Amino acid sequence: MCGIFAYNGTKNSIPLLVDGLRTLEYRGYDSAGVVGINDTGEIFVQKAVGKVSNLATKVDGSLGNSKVYTTGIAHTRWATHGTVTELNTHPHSSSKERFYVVHNGIIENYKELKKELEKKYTFYSDTDTEVIVKLIEEHYEEDLKKTLEKVTKFLTGAYSVAVIDRENPGTILGIKLWSPLVVGASEDGVFISSDVNALSKVASNYVMLEDDEMVIIQDKKYQIYTAGNLIERESQEMDIEYGIDDMGIFSSHTEKEIHDIPTVLENVFSGRVNFGEKTIYNETLEELAEHEIERIEIISSGSSYYAGMIGSYFFKSLAGISVQVTSGSEFLADELLPDTKTLYVFLSQSGETADTRESLKIVKEKWCLTFGIVNVVGSTISRLADMWLYSHAGVEVGVASTKNVIAQIAVLLMMAVSLGQKRNLQHSKARTLIEELEWLGDNISEVLLNAPKIREIAKKYAKHKSMFVLGRNMFFPVAGEASLKCKELSYIHTEAYSMGELKHGPLALVQPDFPCIVFNPAGKFYTKTVSNIQEIRAREGTVLGYVTKWEELGDLYDDIIEIPNTSEILSIFTSLTASYLFALYIAEELERDVDKPKNLAKSVTVE
Ligand code: M6R
């Protein structure tokens, strides 16, 4: 969370920095700020609460044309310490406004450090970051590199930091531990960024910094140090084209991304599934199948956690492998009993989620086999994992993950079939499944064509304050993900339960007009779920069902969202897509900012 961008070169840094922040805005959009220095040490500072566009407006109104600030640092914030105010907005400065700092991460021991520093310095913000800049001031002895090396020794936690000094106007220092930092170089200068995408349009080469490395930028050049010593690091040519598609006919990126799902599925299967021969062929999966795997543990967070839970059913039913799914934060909180016959799978859209990334590091330290499924190419998890596959969902702008979740589930399904083919999965069953997969994109398109009807239903449900989302077996995590999407996009309280658990307590809440959203496609648990629906109806609860098209419904449901008549496994994809539209339309009805829901960020790089 939080995005850092910095520049030193021949151009005016301020517009470049604001542009960089626009690409990094997915990392947080509570507030944004920028500081630039010109050659004589004069500074330009601007900060704004809210999105980067608010900062841009303020900058446009105050920058003028007469001064060129060739060095600068900038930040877009996801608040961790201190409320969303201008005072808490980065860059933060030392007491005489000599040093400025931007920071991504959390300084866990900031309270102790602050208590000590407060004896001498007055703090103006509630942030942990202000402690870093005050520490720099306290320990400065004519050499910022040595000072920063010393200061970081006091810090416990995660950080990527960029620092400038008004008395050395053409210099920027950057250092990182756990939070990402990338250096980009062009003819016009050198950049630092929290991700490589923000550099793709301005830099011709880039270098990813490793933990504890420091970069010093001076006179359009950079040097990298580790433990105080200069190191050689070859840069990579910028081969990443980062373009956020425009929204076309859609009113939000989220809506567009849901409508992208059929194309995403084509990309996921392309070169990996041979529909002619009805086989899955992928070198990574072939290599994986060579390993002795007795158990799988999937570690992920948020929507990726639900994707993992859905995937666990595939591994069990198709490959006969037992699976445990753990959220990254709980994995970190628990004790690891390392097992060399367990495959540890890490799912992440961003590839940067701290809970997932740190879990991966712990598993790697124990020499166990790690496998990443990530969307962002070159992200930390893909670089750390022993083996990986990309989910190929393309750039996902909406903070709510939609098309990527579907892509992750498709990758997990391919993995399960591929492992199953080397085990007991019947040849005919695998072929039928692959045959069906060829039409999955069309099935999803059918759901998308039903969007106007889903919108009408969503409008009715937007008035509720609380709802249950229910499903059995594979549709329990589907309900979990559908519920998360409703919460995140509409801010309505929804709670997911396994359908069978309802009678063990939650049923007490069901009363006339209380909505229960039930995933009940044709399949193994259809009849049992129907009985549970009757129990809701007996209490006069309202029932919305995701049901297969041919179903004889009678008066079982108050509303239905039909999904195509496919196998149970494929109806996971179709019903989830329909639930994304449902959540989106409720949110639109309530006039929420669907692409940037409040309090959230796309990449959660703090634990
Ligand atoms: O990038 P990741 O997939 O690791 O992100 C994990 C969660 O933070 C993420 O899925 C989050 O729950 C989404 N906003 C859900 O839509």
Side-chain angles (χ1 to χ4, degrees), residues 347-451:
L347 284 184
S348 176
Q349 188 286 132
S350 59
E352 300 294 346
T353 300
D355 291 329
T356 312
R357 184 196 65 211
E358 293 312 305
S359 304
L360 168 54
K361 285 188 187 164
I362 288 175
V363 174
K364 267 187 83 91
E365 275 166 19
K366 302 287 178 199
W367 302 101
C368 298
L369 185 62
T370 59
F371 194 103
I373 300 177
V374 295
N375 189 38
V376 176
V377 174
S379 52
T380 307
I381 291 177
S382 68
R383 287 184 290 127
L384 288 177
D386 298 316
M387 306 172 81
W388 74 94
L389 281 177
Y390 287 118
S391 54
H392 285 328
V395 176
E396 196 177 58
V397 180
V399 164
S401 196
T402 54
K403 61 176 181 175
N404 175 69
V405 179
I406 299 285
Q408 283 175 330
I409 301 169
V411 172
L412 288 166
L413 182 56
M414 285 190 314
M415 247 173 113
V417 174
S418 165
L419 288 173
Q421 280 174 326
K422 300 277 181 310
R423 292 160 183 252
N424 291 332
L425 179 61
Q426 277 173 0
H427 193 54
S428 59
K429 193 169 173 187
R431 282 178 72 87
T432 312
L433 194 55
I434 293 168
E435 207 165 68
E436 278 197 310
L437 280 183
E438 193 171 0
W439 304 109
L440 181 57
D442 291 352
N443 296 144
I444 302 272
S445 300
E446 205 178 317
V447 170
L448 297 173
L449 281 175
N450 200 20

Side-chain angles (χ1 to χ4, degrees), residues 99 136 139-153 163 165 168 171-175 214-216 218 223-231:
F99 303 104
I136 292 174
H139 294 282
Y140 185 72
E141 281 173 9
E142 304 307 320
D143 182 340
L144 192 52
K145 174 174 171 281
K146 284 200 174 125
T147 308
L148 198 55
E149 279 162 6
K150 185 169 178 189
V151 163
T152 50
K153 292 205 169 77
V163 191
D165 172 6
N168 291 292
T171 306
I172 305 172
L173 271 71
I175 191 161
M214 181 191 282
V215 60
I216 300 182
Q218 237 162 8
Q223 290 184 313
I224 298 174
Y225 295 83
T226 186
N229 303 315
L230 186 64
I231 55 165

